[in-house]
Amino acid sequence: MMRPISSSQSVMTDAQGLIVPKKLVNPVLESIDRQNLHREMMFNQKIGKSVLNQKSELQRALEKQKERQVLAAQNLAKQTEQTIASELGRVIMQRAQRLEQQKGGSGTGATDPTGGSINPEYLNARAKLRATVDTK
């Protein structure tokens, strides 16, 4: 006769004394590599990254165009920064030269407060205005 299997060995029996089959362990699901891969795929899906590169040609072309536009905007911003900096430097140098000329010119007795940059049309208009005021 057979000895009854005790339940201490973690074998389950039903009411008739038959052994209840255990669910088999799936080695694929238990694999550490598979779990890591699944975790990475879920993360990529969450952030919206397509790992399999299954984008249509139109989507790829639109992305490339957007990247080009962003790069062009960045290059334009850099160029405008550089031109502004160079123009600012040029203006500063011109003002420094004018100040030097005024300092150097003041010792010679020439006291032109405008630095000789009066518009001749302005002088003609002023002369005409004085002539009309003087005649009255």
Side-chain angles (χ1 to χ4, degrees), residues 84-103:
I84 289 172
S86 65
E87 288 177 14
L88 180 63
R90 182 178 48 81
V91 169
I92 290 173
M93 290 298 293
Q94 287 176 351
R95 287 186 184 179
Q97 288 174 355
R98 269 192 265 144
L99 287 174
E100 287 295 322
Q101 288 175 355
Q102 286 178 356
K103 286 181 182 178

Side-chain angles (χ1 to χ4, degrees), residues 71-133:
L71 288 175
Q74 289 175 351
N75 288 339
L76 182 63
K78 286 180 183 179
Q79 288 176 353
T80 55
E81 262 183 41
Q82 291 173 353
T83 56
I84 289 172
S86 65
E87 288 177 14
L88 180 63
R90 182 178 48 81
V91 169
I92 290 173
M93 290 298 293
Q94 287 176 351
R95 287 186 184 179
Q97 288 174 355
R98 269 192 265 144
L99 287 174
E100 287 295 322
Q101 288 175 355
Q102 286 178 356
K103 286 181 182 178
S106 65
T108 61
T111 57
D112 189 9
T114 59
S117 62
I118 297 176
N119 192 354
E121 292 178 20
Y122 171 73
L123 289 176
N124 291 338
R126 188 172 174 198
K128 288 180 184 177
L129 182 63
R130 277 190 182 171
T132 57
V133 171

Side-chain angles (χ1 to χ4, degrees), residues 60-73:
R60 282 188 237 135
L62 288 174
E63 284 182 359
K64 284 182 182 179
Q65 185 176 358
K66 285 180 184 179
E67 288 176 8
R68 283 188 211 122
Q69 286 177 349
V70 168
L71 288 175

